[in-house]
Amino acid sequence: MFRFSRDGNAAAVPLFERAVALDPAFARAHAGLSFTYFEDAFLGFAGDLAHAEALARRHAESALEQDPLDPFCNLVMGRVFWLRGQLDASLPWLDRAIQLNP
């Protein structure tokens, strides 16, 4: 996912999905899925951008349900709002991520 490429995301998704299947409460795996789907939507890798956005949101929400104090989980939720053009709504999540891990 940190390759910021279509191929990198394609390689990361099944690994995160496997991690979630093994431990549905693994917040960071949900956050990783949100991160990759965000990239798919934001960078235009996905054929269906709305579906990628919905998956990014769903996994960000799942990550926060499992661990609301994880800075990465808060970061991915903040980025979900970028996809919707709601930059002001993203700021509290991004600020919280920074507060949790300055």
Side-chain angles (χ1 to χ4, degrees), residues 2-64:
F2 289 118
R3 293 180 183 167
F4 302 99
S5 68
R6 185 183 315 259
D7 292 341
N9 278 6
V13 167
L15 297 173
F16 286 125
E17 287 176 341
R18 182 168 184 239
V20 167
L22 291 170
D23 182 0
F26 188 4
R28 284 273 174 124
H30 285 285
L33 281 167
S34 177
F35 192 100
T36 58
Y37 289 122
F38 167 86
E39 285 183 5
D40 286 347
F42 189 74
L43 298 174
F45 298 152
D48 183 346
L49 299 180
H51 184 66
E53 177 188 333
L55 289 172
R57 172 91 188 208
R58 185 179 75 183
H59 286 289
E61 290 170 347
S62 294
L64 283 170

Side-chain angles (χ1 to χ4, degrees), residues 73-89:
C73 298
N74 284 271
L75 170 74
V76 296
M77 180 55 89
R79 287 172 28 133
V80 164
F81 288 99
W82 293 0
L83 295 173
R84 297 182 174 180
Q86 298 172 332
L87 301 180
D88 289 341

